[in-house]
Amino acid sequence: MKIDLSTTIGPNQFSNPLINAAGVWDETALELDELVASTAGGVTTKSATLEPRSGNQRPRYADVALGSINSMGLPNQGLKYYLDYVTTHDASKPIDLSIANPNPMDNLTALQMIQDSSFQGLTELNLSCPNVIGKPQIGYDLAALKQILQQAFKLFTKPLGIKLPPYFDLQQFDAVADILNQFPLTFINTINSVGNGLLVDPASERTLIEPKGGFGGIGGAYVKPVALANVHAFRSRLKPTIKIIGTGGVRNGTDVFELILCGADAVSVGTTLMQAGPQLFTKLQDELIQLMVQKHYPSLATFRNQLKAAH
Ligand code: RRO
């Protein structure tokens, strides 16, 4: 059986739905080159600020059996570095340029720089970093969310998506989708890490990471049900032109299948990529193909958003 894993987000064709989650294996040109050379369908760059940042104090990342905690604090080389990379690399696969600025006005400056550049890929405006000390997540402030989108679309005409924090209440899904449907967004990426969790080491009686008293974004298997719910809730509320990148808790091909079944157009992988490196993408595709063969699904479109209720 011939299996087609291709998918589309805006004008970009992906040979398969797998992408690195922003912030994983994507801070330097060397890492980005490894992702471009991998079997990933697309590549995301580390969320960039206008100026380079070194991020929060270490230790700021820890792995445990069920996932990870991070308070990286947006370490990155600055937008110019990533803009140079994406406008000069070999364009063998789609690139998603991620930006995140603790000062919302800087996001508009960043968007103007991208607008004025020759970059033709996707731009992902990260409105959900949980780890910048003293700065709340814009995605939880619905007035601020609407305002940034109004300002962004006044100056930006290229394909634009936003990275959202996880939501936990059905009324939040309604209210956020109502705002997003007012704009020509190309995609949303859901979910960012579950912000301000706490992992502790019972032996040393210490937090696993140092910044913010140990509080950090939780990723990995812990968050998969939240990711599935956010993908599915938004798919049933957003206009069909807004595509969805599903992110959260992918460890194997079945997890990729489940996110697409819940409505994802593409799937990004964070914690497991951090642990296994870019060769992970081949394993995930092999497992996804095996499952699709078993289930007689020749393409992603044949099962996307086809989740049925229990009975
Ligand atoms: O750099 C980070 O601390 C970070 C970011 Br920008 C984000 O969007 N999500 C996350 O878990 N960590």
Side-chain angles (χ1 to χ4, degrees), residues 5-55:
L5 293 184
S6 69
T7 190
T8 304
I9 297 193
N12 285 31
Q13 268 279 129
F14 294 71
S15 62
N16 72 74
L18 299 170
I19 315 173
N20 65 300
V24 181
W25 221 280
D26 60 356
E27 197 187 326
T28 64
L30 200 68
E31 289 175 308
L32 289 164
D33 284 346
E34 288 175 351
L35 290 176
V36 170
S38 78
T39 59
V43 172
T44 312
T45 57
K46 170 67 188 173
S47 296
T49 47
L50 290 182
E51 299 301 327
R53 282 170 63 96
S54 52

Side-chain angles (χ1 to χ4, degrees), residues 15-295:
S15 62
N16 72 74
L18 299 170
I19 315 173
N20 65 300
V24 181
W25 221 280
D26 60 356
E27 197 187 326
T28 64
L30 200 68
E31 289 175 308
L32 289 164
D33 284 346
E34 288 175 351
L35 290 176
V36 170
S38 78
T39 59
V43 172
T44 312
T45 57
K46 170 67 188 173
S47 296
T49 47
L50 290 182
E51 299 301 327
R53 282 170 63 96
S54 52
N56 293 341
Q57 224 170 312
R58 293 167 200 265
R60 59 192 187 182
Y61 179 92
D63 278 313
V64 294
L66 289 177
S68 64
I69 186 166
N70 89 84
S71 186
M72 304 301 289
L74 213 35
N76 76 93
Q77 312 281 330
L79 178 57
K80 194 176 170 310
Y81 178 94
Y82 299 104
L83 208 43
D84 283 348
Y85 184 87
V86 299
T87 50
T88 55
H89 93 292
D90 71 357
S92 59
K93 59 184 63 169
I95 297 258
D96 182 5
L97 178 61
S98 175
I99 56 170
N101 286 280
N103 174 357
M105 292 311 288
D106 288 348
N107 282 318
L108 300 178
T109 308
L111 287 173
Q112 190 67 61
M113 284 170 68
I114 300 168
Q115 177 73 24
D116 294 342
S117 76
S118 60
F119 179 59
Q120 295 301 336
L122 303 172
T123 298
E124 182 171 300
L125 174 59
N126 181 353
L127 300 177
S128 48
C129 175
N131 301 326
V132 177
I133 294 164
K135 295 285 180 181
Q137 289 158 270
I138 299 174
Y140 288 135
D141 177 343
L142 299 199
L145 173 66
K146 186 169 179 179
Q147 189 187 27
I148 186 98
L149 291 173
Q150 280 169 334
Q151 292 167 327
F153 282 108
K154 277 191 190 135
L155 65 89
F156 200 73
T157 58
K158 294 179 174 181
L160 181 64
I162 55 174
K163 179 84 173 263
L164 292 170
Y167 299 100
F168 300 95
D169 188 281
L170 296 186
Q171 287 191 355
Q172 280 179 315
F173 292 125
D174 292 343
V176 173
D178 186 47
I179 292 170
L180 303 186
N181 281 331
Q182 296 169 34
F183 295 97
L185 279 166
T186 299
F187 70 99
I188 63 163
N189 186 330
T190 180
I191 58 173
N192 207 320
S193 56
V194 173
N196 298 299
L198 187 59
L199 293 180
V200 302
D201 173 21
S204 64
E205 303 174 11
R206 290 181 183 279
T207 62
L208 294 193
I209 57 172
E210 197 276 351
K212 288 177 69 180
F215 284 55
I218 304 294
Y222 285 121
V223 310
K224 190 178 107 176
V226 181
L228 293 173
N230 275 258
V231 166
H232 200 53
F234 279 115
R235 187 62 290 154
S236 62
R237 288 168 174 78
L238 291 179
K239 55 190 178 185
T241 49
I242 304 180
K243 303 286 178 150
I244 298 183
I245 302 177
T247 306
V250 168
R251 292 192 292 184
N252 55 47
T254 305
D255 297 327
V256 179
F257 177 85
E258 289 180 21
L259 280 162
I260 297 170
L261 184 70
C262 287
D265 294 283
V267 169
S268 73
V269 191
T271 299
T272 310
L273 174 61
M274 191 84 152
Q275 295 164 346
Q279 71 271 23
L280 172 73
F281 292 112
T282 303
K283 172 185 167 291
L284 293 178
Q285 278 165 72
D286 289 349
E287 291 169 357
L288 177 61
I289 288 172
Q290 209 181 339
L291 188 59
M292 288 169 66
V293 169
Q294 270 169 29
K295 289 174 167 283

